[in-house]
Structures are given as structure tokens and as C-alpha cells.
């Protein structure tokens, strides 16, 4: 059996609960580093995985080379692993964060579960409620968003189907109610829009209409920007759904489901996005 990588697993099989990110590429690394610092307040160790063919191992002698089976994760960790205990080893980890080690995989963890992994992956279930609270404060201060990875729900407006999962709003031209997560991901006529780019939700309760306004999310990678352009061109050929801006419902139940799911997707962020429910026609 081939082991699936984390992004190939349905959300309910993944260890991360949220992804911390912001729209602007500038400052994204600092945001993630500060999230790692918050995680260290609740953790007992940090592990760094290094590609020995491209990078030198950590120089601080308090990092110990380990080959044990990590008890705090079921996900593979590539490269040579070096571990340091917390809080005594915190200055050494802080030093690594300050150097901007882009290719190393940093994991902040306890003996039972990980709290933070490189790239903004977060597991708030690994600590008490204070951890998630502190991350949300950080997100609000930086204009960022702590996006749930879980599938929050799906609905239909009578013409298209919608689903919020993995931090994306997916739009499908066909009924997805009876399909599995894997089947939905393999569809060539669906597309996903990053919840991070959702700027405003305005709901007209009387008219059962939801208006969504969006803003671009910058990608720090030129390669990924090029990939995005290619995907966009393919989408035009395949006639995948456009970004939803106005969703009109014929069912009160579907309208309320959509509003609830979208509101939970953007969470409690109060900085640059808001929701507005009115009874205006």
C-alpha cells in the first residue's frame, strides 16, 4: 500500500486543524515564525529535518541527531532529524528562525502530538484553548487568517454545488452529495478559491442572496504564479466555474447552511474581512 502524503489525505485523516496565512507575500515568513514561537510556549521539544545533500545540520550542540520513530506524528518526515528540548533549547530554535531556513522542516511538538509545522500548518488540538486563542490574536494583529482545514459543509443554489474544505471554496457544476472526497478532487470541471481571499460576505436574508467580494492572494513563488496562470488558461478551455460573487438561493435551508459555513470558514478574524446580514430587499 502506497502511503499518501498529507495533502492527498481527506481532511478528517490529517493531523493539522488549521493553516495560518495572509494575503500579502511580504511578511508571510515573519508571521509563520511568530506562530512557531507561540507553539513553543506550549511544547516540550522541536525537531528540525534537514536535507543532508543541500543543507548543513544545526550548529548548536544542544540539537541531538535522532532516528527514532516519532511518537507525535503519523506523517513522514523527510531528511535527517535533529531534536532539542524546550524551553531550554528555545534560544537555539529562535536563532534558526532568524536565519530564514526555507528548506528545513521545523516541527514544534510534545511527546504526543505536534503543534506547528513549517509552512504555517497548525494543530490546535494538541494544546489547551490558550494556544488557539494566541494564534487568533496573532492573526488579527497581522491581518492574517487561521483557516480551518476540515470540511465545513456543502450546499447548492439549485444550479451549482459548493463545498468549503481545506481552506478553499470549491464550486462544482454537478451534484457532489453522493461522491467521496477522492472522487471530488479528481473532477476536471471544478475549481477552488482560497478562503483567504474572501474579503466580505453580505447576506440578504429576505432575498436569500449572498454576495461575496474577493481580493487577490499573493504567492511568494514565481513558479507557482506561473502555474496559476497555466491553470487559469486550462480552466477557460475546460469551462470550470468562475469565482462566485453572487449566490441566489431558492431554499431557505440551503441559504442558511451556506451562510453558516462561510462564516465559520473566515472564523473570528476582525481585521480586513467582515460579514453583514440584512433583511433588505
Amino acid at each position: 500500500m502506497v502511503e499518501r502524503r498529507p495533502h492527498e489525505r481527506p481532511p478528517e485523516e490529517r493531523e493539522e486543524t488549521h493553516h495560518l496565512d495572509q494575503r500579502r507575500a511580504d511578511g508571510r515568513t515573519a508571521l509563520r515564525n511568530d506562530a512557531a514561537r507561540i507553539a513553543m510556549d506550549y511544547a516540550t521539544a522541536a525537531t528540525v529535518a534537514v536535507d543532508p545533500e543541500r543543507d548543513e545540520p544545526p550548529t548548536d550542540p544542544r540539537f541531538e541527531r535522532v532516528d527514532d520513530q516519532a511518537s507525535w506524528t503519523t506523517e513522514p518526515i523527510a531528511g535527517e532529524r535533529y531534536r532539542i528540548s524546550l524551553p531550554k533549547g528555545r534560544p537555539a530554535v529562535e536563532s534558526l528562525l532568524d536565519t530564514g531556513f526555507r528548506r528545513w522542516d521545523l516541527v514544534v511538538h510534545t511527546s504526543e502530538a505536534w503543534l506547528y509545522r513549517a509552512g504555517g500548518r497548525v494543530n490546535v488540538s494538541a494544546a489547551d484553548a490558550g494556544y488557539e486563542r494566541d494564534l487568533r490574536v496573532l492573526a488579527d494583529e497581522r491581518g492574517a487568517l487561521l483557516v480551518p482545514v476540515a470540511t465545513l459543509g456543502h450546499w447548492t443554489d439549485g444550479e451549482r454545488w459548493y463545498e468549503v474544505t481545506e481552506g478553499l471554496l470549491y464550486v462544482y457544476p454537478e451534484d457532489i452529495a453522493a461522491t467521496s472526497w477522492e472522487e471530488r478532487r479528481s473532477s476536471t470541471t471544478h475549481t477552488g478559491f482560497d478562503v483567504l481571499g474572501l474579503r466580505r460576505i453580505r447576506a440578504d436574508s429576505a432575498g436569500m442572496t449572498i454576495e461575496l467580494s474577493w481580493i487577490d492572494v499573493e504567492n511568494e513563488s514565481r513558479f507557482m504564479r506561473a502555474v496559476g496562470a497555466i491553470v487559469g488558461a486550462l480552466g477557460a478551455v475546460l469551462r470550470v466555474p468562475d469565482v462566485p460573487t453572487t449566490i441566489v438561493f431558492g431554499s431557505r435551508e440551503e441559504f442558511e447552511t451556506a451562510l453558516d459555513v462561510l462564516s465559520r470558514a473566515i472564523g473570528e478574524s476582525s481585521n480586513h474581512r467582515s460579514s453583514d446580514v440584512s433583511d433588505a430587499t
Side-chain angles (χ1 to χ4, degrees):
M1 177 179 178
V2 177
E3 183 173 1
R4 291 182 294 182
R5 291 172 292 178
H7 73 276
E8 296 173 328
R9 302 176 184 177
E12 59 271 16
E13 294 182 12
R14 301 183 194 178
E15 295 178 349
E16 76 265 35
T17 60
H18 295 75
H19 187 254
L20 180 67
D21 209 345
Q22 64 180 35
R23 293 173 184 158
R24 294 176 292 104
D26 183 30
R28 189 170 286 152
T29 297
L31 171 71
R32 292 169 177 173
N33 287 349
D34 284 344
R37 291 182 173 95
I38 290 174
M40 284 192 282
D41 293 338
Y42 297 87
T44 57
T47 297
V48 172
V50 180
D51 182 347
E53 296 183 358
R54 298 195 297 173
D55 295 296
E56 295 294 327
T59 57
D60 192 296
R62 288 172 292 183
F63 276 98
E64 178 186 2
R65 177 79 166 87
V66 293
D67 293 306
D68 59 316
Q69 181 67 36
S71 60
W72 35 267
T73 184
T74 61
E75 298 181 1
I77 302 176
E80 295 180 351
R81 286 179 286 140
Y82 297 83
R83 187 168 302 150
I84 193 168
S85 63
L86 297 173
K88 289 185 178 181
R90 181 167 185 141
V93 182
E94 294 267 9
S95 179
L96 288 181
L97 293 173
D98 292 338
T99 63
F101 58 106
R102 298 182 67 87
R103 291 194 297 263
W104 297 3
D105 185 6
L106 170 68
V107 189
V108 181
H109 58 92
T110 66
S111 61
E112 298 178 349
W114 62 265
L115 289 80
Y116 176 87
R117 290 191 71 161
R121 296 176 61 198
V122 172
N123 178 11
V124 300
S125 66
D128 62 41
Y131 178 43
E132 181 176 356
R133 179 200 62 223
D134 292 347
L135 288 174
R136 291 196 181 279
V137 170
L138 173 66
D140 282 344
E141 290 176 347
R142 302 293 177 82
L145 186 63
L146 193 62
V147 183
V149 172
T151 299
L152 300 182
H154 63 263
W155 70 89
T156 180
D157 60 5
E159 294 184 3
R160 297 190 293 185
W161 282 79
Y162 303 80
E163 178 182 45
V164 175
T165 184
E166 307 172 281
L168 297 169
L169 170 59
Y170 284 102
V171 185
Y172 303 83
E174 68 276 349
D175 187 343
I176 62 170
T179 60
S180 67
W181 182 88
E182 290 85 352
E183 290 171 330
R184 297 197 298 276
R185 292 290 76 76
S186 64
S187 171
T188 58
T189 56
H190 81 290
T191 189
F193 304 97
D194 199 330
V195 168
L196 188 64
L198 185 54
R199 185 175 189 178
R200 184 179 178 86
I201 303 171
R202 185 181 185 279
D204 176 358
S205 181
M208 292 194 297
T209 300
I210 295 178
E211 295 179 358
L212 306 176
S213 59
W214 302 81
I215 193 169
D216 289 339
V217 178
E218 295 178 4
N219 197 303
E220 64 266 38
S221 165
R222 292 182 179 179
F223 171 74
M224 289 307 297
R225 288 199 296 269
V227 170
I230 295 171
V231 171
L234 287 174
V237 174
L238 295 172
R239 299 182 182 277
V240 297
D242 295 327
V243 58
T245 54
T246 301
I247 309 174
V248 181
F249 296 84
S251 162
R252 172 67 57 181
E253 180 181 0
E254 296 289 350
F255 167 79
E256 292 178 351
T257 296
L259 183 58
D260 173 68
V261 170
L262 290 167
S263 298
R264 285 189 290 129
I266 63 173
E268 301 171 3
S269 175
S270 59
N271 242 1
H272 54 265
R273 51 181 61 78
S274 61
S275 61
D276 177 26
V277 182
S278 72
D279 291 316
T281 57

